[in-house]
Amino acid sequence: MTRDSVLDHDEETAAVSEARLASVFDTAADGIIVTNDRGQILAFNKACEHLFGFEASDLLGQNVSWIMPDSHARQHDRYVRNYLETGERKIIGIGREVQARHKDGTVFPIELSIGEAATPYGRQFIGILRDLRSRKQIEDRLAKTQAQLLHMTRISALDEMGAAIAHELNQPLTATLLYLQTVSRKAKAESSLDPMILDVIDKAVREAERAGEIIQRMRQLVEKKAPERQKIDVPELVRTCLEMAELGNGDAKSCFKAEVAEELPPLFADPVQIRQILINLLRNAREAVADQTGGTVTLSVLHGEDGLEFRVRDNGPGVPKELVEGLFRAFTGAKHKGVGLGLAISRSIAQNHGGDLRLESAPDGGGASFLLTLPVNPAEDITVRPKEPVAE
């Protein structure tokens, strides 16, 4: 082979290698950036353009600190000088997570691996950059989901415990009620007690009966029964929901009001599930007005075009605009307490009953208003059973 042939072959090989390198450089899914030992950008591939929002022509010859947050940019040149002088590697040859800056100023995480090459023009550094935003979002969602699952496991255990406690409390409470009723009947028959004492006993009987009703409703809420629809008296439903929503409020003044239209038809629905919806709405509203002077929560019921309309209104700060879109999606609640499932489950229950639950536009005076609509007449496949007794 002649000398000219060897030169032609070397040139052809070099051209092929350069073409291959250019092809890999522009088609790589990860960002590739090349800088010199002065931090100037020598190459910036297509993936980098997509990642940072800059065109390659915008950055060629510029310092690489253009795509770094200020905190990193101020230190970069010093790190490079220190490496050139001491040879001590802190990031070169080691992949690590760092922060990068988009053209619009957004700071985001990337995985950065840096290699170096000696060239006739001095040392050059090749950085491989991978966007970590999607992975971080998945990791965050996974961590939140795991935390929610752990919380729900505790809730499931508490459900079982709550049912057991309610059952155990119901027995001594029933016995206490029977004793009080026996004493009251005997004292009235013999006129052996002062009327004031009889009045006190009667009040104790009523309070014991009320406690028994509360325990019964708590058992119904935590017991895992198949949904069964029955005929429900609406004013009674409103009264019991307000009582349950008041639990845990201590001696604080009640913020609840009821506005129930007259002559409402009965509702055919699962009483436990409908109470679950209304109690959740009422307690959320109570939390919203807890720190507000003159805070009020109103549960109103009227007969609308689509059936019965249960409206829970408060005069609190209202629902922030940024939360409205995801308000009825599971695990998106902004509350620090709870699992973020209340409204999602409540809407699902309402829709399974042929109705709906939605957030209305801000009422006059601010606050929030949730509207639960339920059909009056049950579908043909609904099983209606007699109303359950309050006490066992």
Side-chain angles (χ1 to χ4, degrees):
M1 182 179 292
T2 65
R3 182 173 179 275
D4 289 341
S5 297
V6 172
L7 290 175
D8 289 343
H9 180 268
D10 289 345
E11 289 176 357
E12 182 180 355
T13 301
V16 170
S17 297
E18 186 174 345
R20 287 173 178 169
L21 180 60
S23 176
V24 171
F25 188 76
D26 282 333
T27 59
D30 292 331
I32 302 175
I33 186 170
V34 181
T35 65
N36 59 22
D37 55 12
R38 297 183 299 282
Q40 294 173 312
I41 297 175
L42 306 178
F44 196 79
N45 74 340
K46 295 290 185 184
C48 273
E49 291 182 339
H50 177 72
L51 187 61
F52 292 98
F54 287 103
E55 298 290 335
S57 57
D58 297 333
L59 295 183
L60 293 179
Q62 300 293 338
N63 194 286
V64 71
S65 61
W66 275 50
I67 57 172
M68 296 179 181
D70 292 340
S71 58
H72 288 53
R74 288 192 294 268
Q75 303 294 333
H76 177 261
D77 290 345
R78 182 170 63 82
Y79 288 155
V80 173
R81 286 196 304 271
N82 180 70
Y83 171 66
L84 294 175
E85 293 171 2
T86 66
E88 181 183 356
R89 297 186 174 193
K90 292 187 176 180
I91 187 171
I92 294 174
I94 304 171
R96 62 182 294 185
E97 181 180 328
V98 298
Q99 298 293 311
R101 184 178 64 185
H102 192 271
K103 183 179 180 179
D104 63 9
T106 304
V107 175
F108 60 96
I110 61 170
E111 183 179 339
L112 174 64
S113 300
I114 299 180
E116 64 173 322
T119 74
Y121 307 99
R123 291 187 185 181
Q124 294 183 357
F125 300 96
I126 300 94
I128 310 297
L129 303 86
R130 177 167 296 173
D131 190 352
L132 294 181
R133 283 173 290 189
S134 296
R135 192 174 85 185
K136 287 290 183 182
Q137 290 172 354
I138 292 172
E139 290 174 353
D140 288 345
R141 286 199 297 269
L142 179 61
K144 289 179 181 178
T145 301
Q146 288 174 335
Q148 299 288 5
L149 287 174
L150 287 173
H151 194 174
M152 292 185 71
T153 300
R154 294 197 297 271
I155 288 175
S156 179
L158 288 173
D159 280 351
E160 301 294 339
M161 188 182 300
I165 291 173
H167 177 73
E168 294 299 323
L169 286 177
N170 197 55
Q171 293 180 358
L173 188 60
T174 300
T176 301
L177 179 60
L178 291 174
Y179 292 147
L180 288 170
Q181 289 172 339
T182 300
V183 170
S184 178
R185 285 195 299 267
K186 186 171 181 60
K188 288 177 181 178
E190 299 179 357
S191 301
S192 57
L193 289 179
D194 187 288
M196 185 185 72
I197 296 176
L198 287 174
D199 184 56
V200 171
I201 293 175
D202 287 341
K203 289 181 179 178
V205 169
R206 288 195 295 272
E207 289 301 314
E209 290 174 341
R210 179 171 171 271
E213 291 176 1
I214 292 174
I215 289 175
Q216 179 66 19
R217 292 177 199 126
M218 288 182 65
R219 288 185 63 183
Q220 291 173 342
L221 282 172
V222 299
E223 287 176 351
K224 298 175 177 62
K225 293 182 177 179
E228 292 186 76
R229 309 193 192 199
Q230 64 185 59
K231 185 177 180 180
I232 303 171
D233 179 69
V234 175
E236 174 68 10
L237 173 68
V238 170
R239 184 184 68 81
T240 58
C241 287
L242 291 176
E243 284 185 357
M244 294 291 286
E246 285 281 14
L247 291 178
N249 201 30
D251 296 328
K253 182 180 178 182
S254 176
C255 63
F256 293 123
K257 295 195 305 181
E259 296 177 356
V260 182
E262 296 181 358
E263 298 182 358
L264 290 174
L267 174 67
F268 292 88
D270 185 286
V272 174
Q273 291 188 347
I274 301 307
R275 279 200 295 266
Q276 179 181 347
I277 297 175
L278 293 175
I279 292 169
N280 183 58
L281 294 176
L282 289 167
R283 294 179 70 88
N284 286 347
R286 190 183 77 182
E287 289 183 18
V289 301
D291 299 325
Q292 183 170 316
T293 303
T296 59
V297 177
T298 304
L299 171 56
S300 62
V301 191
L302 56 84
H303 195 178
E305 294 181 0
D306 299 324
L308 292 178
E309 296 182 355
F310 295 80
R311 184 173 282 101
V312 177
R313 302 192 310 271
D314 66 71
N315 61 349
V319 180
K321 291 182 179 179
E322 62 271 18
L323 299 181
V324 171
E325 183 178 351
L327 196 61
F328 292 95
R329 291 201 294 265
F331 303 118
T332 57
K335 292 167 62 178
H336 296 293
K337 298 179 181 179
V339 295
L341 285 170
L343 289 176
I345 291 177
S346 294
R347 171 175 274 183
S348 176
I349 292 172
Q351 292 176 344
N352 287 340
H353 279 76
D356 198 9
L357 174 64
R358 62 183 176 88
L359 173 68
E360 297 185 298
S361 54
D364 294 338
S369 178
F370 286 86
L371 177 63
L372 168 67
T373 57
L374 294 169
V376 173
N377 298 317
E380 292 182 359
D381 60 343
I382 292 177
T383 300
V384 180
R385 61 188 178 88
K387 185 176 180 180
E388 293 180 350
V390 171
E392 290 185 340

